[in-house]
Amino acid sequence: MLYPFSALLARMKYITRWSLMHSTRAESLSEHTCDTALLAHMLCLIARRYTGTPCRPKTVAVAALYHDAPEIITGDMPTPVKYSSPTLRDAYKALETESVRCMTGLLPDELSEELFPFISGELLTAEEKRLLKAADRLSALIKCTEEQRSGNHEFDAALAQQKAALQAMHCPEADWFIEHCLPCYTQNLDELTRQQ
């Protein structure tokens, strides 16, 4: 018996994010999930060290790797379209749920049982879901910042939206990251590697 789940996941590299916007550099879904996992892990470490928010950094990081896996089947629907009406939002949510069910059905039952909670996010606490969502938004904010710095004003509104959404989350871990880490994303390699 063959199980195509992992081969299907490998297709994330072919799904382009921000598909309705002109980008100076394309970003794949695979790249975004890796960035989000790294950011989620960091936010969890910040939570444990500075804010006292209970969380499991490794669990959240793995869930982040799978957080957009349903888009392998659904494609990356742009956020403004996805949330343009309650009907579209609910229909897309149902489609994502069915996508998770179909994907985990491509594994033996015992592996499906273990992976389903990571892909669906069901194994995360409310605090961990908040940290993962903040990491997802930070990934988008960083992409928008990079595009804007490259002279691409197509991302100006998206950058403002991501900043506002992060601020509205009232996530102290994301606030700490924005203050202490985000400014480094504008530095060149020499500046990043210079000894302090």
Side-chain angles (χ1 to χ4, degrees), residues 27-60:
E27 178 185 56
S28 73
L29 184 61
S30 187
E31 178 182 2
H32 166 69
T33 57
C34 178
D35 289 345
T36 301
L38 293 169
L39 289 164
H41 190 258
M42 181 59 68
L43 291 182
C44 287
L45 296 178
I46 292 166
R48 287 185 20 183
R49 181 62 66 171
Y50 300 123
T51 66
T53 302
C55 60
R56 299 164 292 168
K58 293 174 188 171
T59 300
V60 177

Side-chain angles (χ1 to χ4, degrees), residues 49-147:
R49 181 62 66 171
Y50 300 123
T51 66
T53 302
C55 60
R56 299 164 292 168
K58 293 174 188 171
T59 300
V60 177
V62 172
L65 287 172
Y66 289 108
H67 84 281
D68 276 342
E71 292 182 11
I72 296 166
I73 293 174
T74 66
D76 178 40
M77 182 174 288
T79 299
V81 175
K82 192 187 309 184
Y83 297 109
S84 63
S85 76
T87 303
L88 270 177
R89 182 196 63 229
D90 293 346
Y92 190 77
K93 196 54 147 168
L95 188 59
E96 278 185 325
T97 301
E98 180 61 16
S99 176
V100 171
R101 191 194 65 71
C102 288
M103 289 181 67
T104 55
L106 300 173
L107 288 165
D109 290 343
E110 56 276 10
L111 294 180
S112 178
E113 282 178 27
E114 288 205 43
L115 273 172
F116 183 86
F118 283 96
I119 299 173
S120 68
E122 288 178 7
L123 83 164
L124 300 178
T125 65
E127 292 90 355
E128 291 169 338
K129 286 179 184 177
R130 179 181 55 83
L131 290 167
L132 175 48
K133 186 62 181 172
D136 192 27
R137 290 212 175 271
L138 280 169
S139 174
L141 177 73
I142 291 164
K143 169 64 175 169
C144 293
T145 301
E146 289 171 348
E147 287 291 333

